[in-house]
């Protein structure tokens, strides 16, 4: 254990050294300075408070106003980089993190930034005062104390080692608010903006436009635009073609991409990457048939992932290949040969199907009838649903699909009014703590809609969470992954493909694994 | 006339109270939960406890009668509560958008009237001619074609010809009238086509009906010029049913811009309606339904008063 | 062809044709007619509905719809052939030199323009008066047509005027530019008889004072007799007889004219004979009969009638033309060509021991409330029927007559329990009539309505309509017998059994009314309440129905309560007549007695107002013309309800409503001055 922590520390220190040098260098330069970036967002932010949200609507609009302690080097993701922190280190035992903060940083209102602001912000997240919503309480539950020995040093003390913590400091949600503002009103950031980020809020016309202007004193200096305007949009294609917007960050589906290419030709560019949202099917553990593991595995076996996903990816934004719960090709994910060896993930569709039908027969549920709850949104829900229906029918099952608008769908999912439901697991970091959280026992997580209890999974999760040694942690994560996949309460469909459309004049943007990441518009510039 | 108007306005109060009560309880039957949507629709690590405390904070855990009491107490003071999504006042959320919808509705009405009056009149006067058939074909098209589809056609047409769409983000009418008009004329057209079709058809049939009335024959027998027969004797009578149609359509517009506003990305109450339904923002929905209902009632009132101005039989009714 | 001095000819129409091109054929609505109107002359065009008289008038004014095709050798108006002038020339003539008054005063004025506005319009258009001059002239005109307080009335709207007042306004509009010719198209048909008399007197008076010629289109022969100098009788788009009014009434030469004159019941003749009836119906103008169009209905028709008769001079008088091959025989035999009239009948004996229906002190009050201001409501009581008592004996016809709004229909409805009476007692066949017992006697008490079309289900065949009551009331159980019964009924009312397959819209108005009667008869009733059963029908058809009702009464001993506004019809058919005014009985007596010796001033006025179709009698009688209009039933005059319009009113009349008092043989009248008037 001790050894592993030390090696981790070395890694962190190395990263630190690289990033510090990087800070002074390349980022600060802007090939072109000026112009206003017009982008579209399909949703409206409920508030400006980043601590209280998981919504991309908030992130696309509000992230540009704030800084976090750490951030990522987007070109070498998930390599860490300093933002407000100049350098940082982790104690040998993994129970203490020390950050040396940038000097001379000021909030948009002119207040100097100090360690007190970091403490106040993190306290607000892990222990929100009355009337303040934080959805990061669980994430930062292991922080026991935050110390500020001087204005530019912050020390986080942990009650137990947490392998996720380092990435957590770079989470884009963890905006640093001004301690002065929070002292006056803990709910200040809900309806007001005062950060240290690259752009300042100018005007928000509700439901319509969100205008920001360049913050001249931004400490990285790589805010290349005069300002940004985010518009509330409904569709992407017409506003892009009609020159109303230059980019949309959440991504387009394949048909939209085709349409944009056809209509805009060379004027449009795309960046493409997997998105850390997994599409899964949650099976209701209280449904008689799904109490039997054989039936659940049969459900899994009957989905021909290898044959179907490449085709599905052509019509909607799913990845063209199978995946486990962790995003494929990332450092903790099961290697393909191990994944494809699991029940239901092999490439031989015919054999899988035969096996599935055999299991059903054996369990006495031949021609299984069940309801599948679908969300009334075409991409990717309807497309996935149609595909899954036909796959299950090939095994002689009789699925009955119910489609509902979001609010009703969410209620059915919550109240268990389904036998199987489409479900999704979004993450913003490829970290097992985030990605496996959903699959814990019902009483450990708010998002286990299968309602099963599995203490073995809970234990594996807790163990990996406290394991800072990479290899050991990876072994624990693989064990979790295999157990959960073979138990088949939740059937992963696959991950998402994200295609960001941009007008050719938009440069300097690097797509990340999530539409929640890299929304500060740092380094983004407009070429004439 | 004034006291009549006042009495009519007072009479709308019980109507609106009934609407308010109905809306409150009907909406509570709607499934869904805004906190779930707000916190988990996008995923993330959210615990059950966090969801419960958020509900508590928004007052959603109060017994329904307590919520009802708070709602009804607030109403007379113009307090429609807060939007559960943005936590701003419902009234301010609506106020920020209603102007645009209203302007769009008025512009559509103006367009509709400008189109409908010549078309309806020509169609009636040249009944049975090619012109009449063409106009009737056009107007039946207006009724048959959904406005959002026409809106999409207009957008495609703009993209194909100008290659650009009007800029997003509403520009105030007083600020830059030309841009404002350029932004709103297209959605107004897409709504106004149907509107003008309905009006033109109504006008046509009421002119035809009026022109066969005995008093038109009387006017002709007096040797009055034909255009005076039509304009003075015919149109004013034909206007009566047409005004009703215009008023009703206008009232429908306020609630009916939902799709058009979405198609054209306009930030009016139609779009807010869609948003609040999607988010299950019951307070905002309540406020919107009440606002639209009030609009309906007011427009009915205006139509009635206009009617009285146009028709002496109503004005002098004993 | 005429004795009008060429210099005096105002309008000369030569061979006028009007055709309507419809989808399913061409209708020649006016077929080759010629006539003249002298300056200041009063010409009447008479005929039944659909004979082309209105189309003739409208074609002169060129006010027909576009589908009408008008042609004529010439239409000379004051020497100018107006059939050749342009539309704009024609417009200058309309309202300026020729004006027109229409039938429906209620709809002929524009509801959204003030009376003043509508009156000044021709003045401003034609005479180019200034607004001020026009207003002054308008006030003068309104005064001339007898509208009180004309200055105040200028800014009012048509709905604030009564029907009679509106017709006065129409006349004022017609007179505005002092035209040479006024065409009046049934100007009084929609009005009550007392108002009709006022309007016609006014028209006549003004035309003779100002020397305006009048073309009056009417179906009412009494009106013709009273006012016309010359007459055109039209039948099926053609003029069949033409000439001096006196001459035509004295020596009608065309069988149609004779039939028309004889089919109208006469007030001045004692009750007795059947009415002459012209069998059948006027022809469909889409495919008229070849030759003489009257041939199918003419009692004199012979082979010659296959040719078209032309108008020829009659009796050596240049001013009397008729188009018939048998005019000599027709004028010689007169009405006897219609055999029916010869068959007089004696009044059936009426058993006066047990009354069939006893109505005692019937009251029918309606409480009405209406908005009197923007915020207040006023409520009041309309005494539609107030203390009406009478008896109907088996086999007797009791006539109920009065102007609209007098409560006669309410009496019928109260007896039928269609409205619940608010007071009084009724007995039928010794059974107290109330809402419980009315169902028991329903079968014995049937009703015939004015509008036969709306009272027959349009989706049922005649057979089904007649079968239904037989089935529902279990009168005839066996379907075969029912068939026979229906055939019997149809034959009895003068229809044919094959008509049971027809639908109501396939029948004419008279035939539909016959079906209505057959339906009532099917229940074998003791009493039929007839609510204006003939007022919607043309005179020749009206006579057929009246004869039918009388025949049925004689044959089956049915009693009738006959409600009508036409005094002559009521007189003809009724044994006893009740005259009502504002819900009260004014006079009550045996028909002949009451008509020959009316005691109540209202009855007298009513009879004076109804013109008799004989110029000799009509023009020589002294008339009481009633002033004013029916008062509002919400606010009836104090004392005698008739006091506000009575010519003999004194303060005593306004004190109390007089009771009915005996004044001879079962003759009662409610007037305190009976003796005085008797001697006057």
């Amino acid at each position: 254990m001790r050894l592993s922590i030390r090696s981790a520390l070395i890694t962190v220190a190395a990263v630190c050294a690289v990033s510090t040098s990087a800070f002074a260098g390349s980022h600060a330069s802007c090939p072109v300075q000026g112009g206003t970036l017009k982008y579209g967002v399909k949703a409206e932010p409920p508030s400006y408070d980043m601590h209280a949200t998981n919504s991309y609507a908030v992130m696309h609009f509000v992230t540009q106003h704030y800084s976090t302690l750490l951030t990522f080097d987007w070109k070498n993701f998930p390599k860490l980089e300093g933002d407000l922190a100049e350098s940082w280190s982790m104690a040998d035992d993994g129970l203490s993190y020390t950050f040396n903060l940038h000097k001379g940083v000021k909030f948009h209102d002119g207040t100097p930034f100090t360690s007190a602001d970091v403490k106040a912000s993190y306290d607000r997240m892990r222990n929100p005062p009355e009337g303040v919503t934080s959805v990061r309480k669980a994430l930062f539950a292991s922080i026991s104390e935050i110390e500020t020995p001087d204005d530019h040093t912050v020390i986080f003390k942990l009650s137990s080692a947490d392998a996720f913590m380092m990435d957590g400091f770079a989470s884009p949600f963890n905006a640093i608010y001004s301690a002065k503002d929070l002292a006056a009103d803990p709910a200040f950031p809900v309806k007001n903006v005062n950060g240290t980020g690259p752009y300042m809020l100018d005007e928000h016309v509700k439901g319509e436009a969100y205008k920001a202007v360049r913050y001249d004193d931004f400490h990285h200096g790589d805010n290349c635009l005069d300002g940004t305007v985010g518009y509330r949009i409904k569709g992407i294609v017409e506003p892009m073609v009609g020159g109303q917007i230059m980019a949309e960050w959440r991504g387009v589906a394949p048909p939209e991409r085709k349409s944009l290419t056809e209509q805009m030709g060379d004027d449009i560019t795309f960046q493409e990457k997997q998105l850390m949202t997994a599409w899964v099917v949650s099976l209701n553990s209280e449904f008689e048939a799904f109490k039997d593991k054989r039936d659940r595995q049969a459900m899994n076996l009957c989905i021909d992932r290898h044959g179907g996903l490449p085709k599905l990816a052509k019509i909607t934004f799913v990845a063209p290949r199978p995946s486990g719960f962790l995003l494929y090709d990332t450092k903790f994910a099961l290697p393909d040969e191990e994944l494809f060896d699991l029940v239901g993930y092999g490439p031989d569709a015919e054999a899988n199907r035969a096996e599935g039908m055999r299991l059903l027969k054996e369990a006495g549920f031949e021609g299984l009838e069940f309801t599948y709850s679908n969300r009334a949104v075409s991409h990717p829900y309807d497309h996935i649903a149609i595909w899954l229906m036909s796959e299950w029918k090939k095994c002689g099952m009789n699925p009955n699909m119910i489609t509902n608008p979001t609010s009703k769908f969410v209620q059915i999912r919550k109240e268990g009014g389904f036998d199987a439901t489409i479900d999704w697991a979004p993450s913003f970091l490829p970290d097992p703590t985030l990605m496996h959280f959903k699959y814990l026992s019902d009483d450990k997580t708010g998002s286990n809609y299968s309602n099963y209890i599995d203490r073995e999974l809970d234990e594996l999760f807790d163990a990996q969470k406290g394991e800072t040694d990479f290899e050991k942690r990876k072994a624990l994560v693989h064990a979790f992954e295999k157990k959960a996949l073979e138990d088949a309460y939740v059937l992963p469909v696959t991950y998402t493909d994200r295609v960001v459309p941009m007008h050719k004049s938009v440069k300097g943007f690097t797509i990340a694994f999530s539409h929640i990441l890299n929304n500060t518009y740092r380094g983004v510039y407009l070429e004439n | 006339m004034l006291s009549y108007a006042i009495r009519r306005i007072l009479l709308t109060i019980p109507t609106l109270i009934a609407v308010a009560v109905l809306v409150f309880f009907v909406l509570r039957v709607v499934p869904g939960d805004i906190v779930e949507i707000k916190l988990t629709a996008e995923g993330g690590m959210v615990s059950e406890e966090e969801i419960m405390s958020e509900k508590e904070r928004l007052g959603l855990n109060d017994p329904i009668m307590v919520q009802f009491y708070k709602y009804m107490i607030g109403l007379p003071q113009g307090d429609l509560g807060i939007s559960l999504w943005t936590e701003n006042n419902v009234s301010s959320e609506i106020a920020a958008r209603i102007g645009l919808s209203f302007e769009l509705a008025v512009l559509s009405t103006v367009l509709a009237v400008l189109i409908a009056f010549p078309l309806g009149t020509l169609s009636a006067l040249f009944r049975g001619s090619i012109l009449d058939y063409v106009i009737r074909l056009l107007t039946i098209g207006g009724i048959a074609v959904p406005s959002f589809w026409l809106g999409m056609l207009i957008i495609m047409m703009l993209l194909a010809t100008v290659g650009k769409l009007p800029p997003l983000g509403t520009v105030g009418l007083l600020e830059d009238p030309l841009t404002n008009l350029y932004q709103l004329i297209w959605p107004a057209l897409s709504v106004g086509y149907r509107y003008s079709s309905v009006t033109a058809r109504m006008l046509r049939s009421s002119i035809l009906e009026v022109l066969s009335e005995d008093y038109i024959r009387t006017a002709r027998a007096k040797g009055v010029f034909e255009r005076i027969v039509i304009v003075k004797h015919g149109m004013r009578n034909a206007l009566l049913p047409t005004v009703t149609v215009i008023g009703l359509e206008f009232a429908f517009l306020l609630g009916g811009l939902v799709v058009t506003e979405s198609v054209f990305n306009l930030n009016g109450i139609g779009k807010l309606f869609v948003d609040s339904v999607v988010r299950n923002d019951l307070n905002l929905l309540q406020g919107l339904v009440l606002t639209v209902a009030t609009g309906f009632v007011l427009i009915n009132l205006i139509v009635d008063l206009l009617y009285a101005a146009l028709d002496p039989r109503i004005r002098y009714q004993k | 062809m005429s004795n009008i001095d060429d210099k005096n000819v105002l309008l000369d129409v030569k061979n006028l044709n009007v055709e309507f091109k419809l989808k399913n054929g061409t209708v020649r609505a006016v077929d080759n007619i010629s006539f003249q109107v002298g300056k200041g002359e009063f010409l009447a065009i008479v005929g039944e509905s659909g004979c082309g008289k209105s189309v003739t008038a409208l074609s002169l004014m060129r006010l027909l719809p576009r589908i009408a095709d008008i042609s004529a050798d010439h239409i000379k108006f004051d020497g100018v052939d107006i059939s050749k002038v342009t539309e704009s020339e024609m417009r200058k003539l309309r309202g300026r030199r020729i004006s027109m008054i229409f039938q429906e005063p209620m709809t002929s004025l524009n509801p959204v323009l003030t009376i003043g506005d509508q009156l000044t319009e021709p003045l401003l258009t034609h005479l180019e008066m200034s607004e001020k001059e026009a207003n002054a002239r308008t006030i003068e005109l309104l005064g001339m047509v007898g509208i009180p307080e004309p200055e105040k009335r200028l800014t009012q709207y048509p709905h604030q005027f009564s029907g009679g007042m509106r017709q006065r306004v129409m006349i004022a509009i017609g007179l505005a530019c002092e035209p040479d010719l006024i065409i009046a198209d049934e100007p009084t048909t929609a009005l009550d008889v007392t108002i009709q008399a006022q309007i016609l007197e006014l028209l006549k008076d003004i035309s003779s004072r100002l020397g305006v010629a009048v073309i009056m289109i009417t179906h009412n022969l009494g009106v013709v007799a009273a006012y016309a100098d010359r007459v055109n009788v039209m039948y099926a788009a053609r003029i069949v007889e033409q000439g001096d009014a006196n001459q035509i009434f004295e020596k009608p030469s065309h069988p149609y004219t004779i039939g028309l004159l004889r089919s109208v019941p006469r007030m001045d003749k004692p009750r007795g004979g059947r009415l002459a009836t012209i069998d059948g119906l006027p022809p469909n103008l889409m495919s008229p009969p070849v030759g003489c169009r009257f041939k199918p209905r003419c009692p004199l028709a012979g082979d010659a009638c296959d040719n078209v008769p032309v108008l020829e001079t009659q009796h050596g008088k240049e001013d009397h033309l008729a188009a018939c091959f048998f005019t000599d025989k027709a004028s010689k035999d007169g009405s006897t060509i219609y055999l029916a009239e010869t068959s007089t009948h004696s009044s059936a004996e009426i058993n006066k021991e047990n009354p069939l229906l006893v109505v005692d002190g019937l009251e029918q009050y309606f409480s009405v409330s209406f908005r009197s201001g923007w915020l207040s409501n006023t409520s009041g009581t309309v005494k539609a029927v107030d203390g009406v008592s009478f008896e109907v004996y088996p086999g007797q016809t009791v006539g109920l007559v009065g102007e609209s709004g007098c409560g006669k229909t309410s009496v019928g409805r109260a007896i039928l329990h269609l409205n619940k009476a608010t007071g009084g007692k009724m007995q039928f066949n010794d059974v107290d009539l109330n809402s419980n017992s009315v169902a028991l006697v329903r079968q014995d008490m049937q009703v015939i309505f004015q509008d036969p079309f709306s009272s027959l289900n349009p989706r049922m065949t005649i057979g089904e309509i007649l079968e239904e009551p037989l089935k529902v009331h279990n009168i005839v159980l066996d379907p075969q017998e029912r068939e026979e019964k229906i055939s019997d009924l149809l034959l009895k009312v003068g229809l044919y059994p094959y008509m049971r397959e027809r639908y109501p819209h396939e029948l004419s108005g008279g035939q539909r009314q016959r079906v209505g009667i057959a339906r009532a008869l099917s229940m074998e009733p003791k009493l039929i309440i007839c609510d204006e059963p003939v007022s919607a029908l043309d005179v020749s058809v009206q006579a057929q129905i009246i004869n039918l009702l009388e025949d049925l009464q004689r044959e089956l001993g049915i009693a009738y309560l006959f409600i009508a506004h036409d005094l002559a019809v009521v007189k003809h058919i009724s044994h006893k007549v009740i005259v009502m005014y504002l819900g009260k009985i004014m006079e009550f007596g045996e028909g002949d007695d009451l008509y020959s010796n009316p005691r109540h001033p209202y009855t007298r006025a009513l009879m004076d107002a109804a013109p008799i179709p004989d110029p000799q009698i009509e023009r020589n009688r002294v008339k009481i013309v009633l002033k004013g209009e029916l008062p509002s039933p919400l606010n009836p005059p104090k004392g005698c309800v008739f006091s506000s319009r009575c010519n003999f009113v004194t303060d005593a009349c306004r004190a109390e409503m007089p009771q009915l008092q005996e004044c001879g043989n079962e003759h009662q009248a409610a007037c305190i001055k009976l003796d005085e008037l008797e001697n006057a």
Side-chain angles (χ1 to χ4, degrees), chain A residues 135-397:
Chain A
V135 291
R136 319 266 170 252
K137 267 170 87 171
L139 209 57
F140 292 114
S142 54
I143 297 176
S144 60
E145 208 180 335
I146 301 168
E147 290 170 5
T148 53
D150 62 58
D151 274 359
H152 298 103
T153 309
V154 186
I155 301 167
F156 288 78
K157 301 270 186 192
L158 270 60
S159 51
S160 59
D162 190 338
F164 166 73
M165 197 50 84
M166 206 70 228
D167 281 351
F169 288 124
S171 159
F173 292 110
N174 304 341
I176 304 300
Y177 299 142
S178 155
K180 179 200 65 156
D181 293 339
L182 295 182
D185 175 11
F188 178 85
V190 175
K191 289 183 183 172
N192 305 281
V193 170
N194 184 25
T196 52
Y199 296 95
M200 301 188 288
L201 176 60
D202 178 27
E203 188 193 6
H204 179 195
V205 184
K206 278 175 209 138
E208 185 170 293
Y210 191 94
K211 298 175 191 164
V213 291
R214 185 171 190 271
Y215 177 46
D216 292 335
D217 292 336
F218 180 54
H219 55 283
H220 292 292
D222 55 354
N223 43 356
C224 311
L225 303 158
D226 290 343
T228 65
V229 190
Y231 290 111
R232 232 348 260 294
I233 53 166
K234 175 105 178 133
I236 296 172
V237 177
E238 289 85 12
M240 283 290 291
V241 178
Q244 292 174 321
I245 58 170
M246 300 167 180
E248 198 277 347
W249 313 115
R250 194 174 182 225
V252 287
E256 292 170 317
R257 178 183 188 162
K258 188 162 163 257
S259 172
L260 283 170
T261 314
E262 278 168 8
Q263 293 184 63
M264 293 180 73
D266 290 344
D267 286 347
I268 187 100
T269 59
F270 297 98
Q271 285 193 27
E272 194 173 1
K273 201 167 198 135
Q274 304 93 294
L275 177 75
M276 278 178 286
T277 294
W279 302 102
V280 300
V281 176
S282 288
L283 302 181
N284 190 343
S285 62
E286 274 146 40
F287 179 54
E288 198 52 43
F290 295 151
K291 284 179 180 167
D292 190 325
K293 184 173 171 178
R294 288 172 297 184
D295 294 325
R296 302 196 301 266
Q297 288 189 331
M299 292 285 284
N300 220 353
L301 282 161
C302 290
I303 305 169
D304 174 18
R305 291 179 173 80
H306 294 270
L309 287 170
K311 290 178 200 149
L312 197 60
K314 289 201 174 75
I315 54 173
T316 190
F317 44 65
V318 296
R321 50 151 293 168
S323 176
F325 292 129
L326 294 176
L327 176 59
Y328 61 88
D329 286 347
T330 52
K331 57 185 177 181
F332 289 106
L334 274 181
D336 281 355
E337 58 274 17
E338 282 183 58
L339 176 68
F340 296 163
D341 220 25
L342 298 175
V343 180
Y345 296 87
D348 186 346
E350 285 309 315
N352 283 347
R353 214 168 277 145
E355 172 67 3
M357 288 169 81
R358 190 190 64 78
L359 284 173
L360 277 180
K361 195 169 179 183
E362 195 180 288
F365 282 98
E366 225 175 346
L368 175 66
E369 279 182 42
F370 62 96
T371 58
Y372 173 85
S373 172
N374 184 30
R375 185 179 179 186
V377 174
S378 81
H379 288 290
Y381 301 90
D382 282 346
H383 295 279
I384 289 177
I386 291 164
W387 176 58
L388 288 177
M389 292 293 109
S390 73
E391 293 291 293
W392 286 323
K393 279 179 188 160
K394 282 180 196 163
C395 280
M397 292 191 244

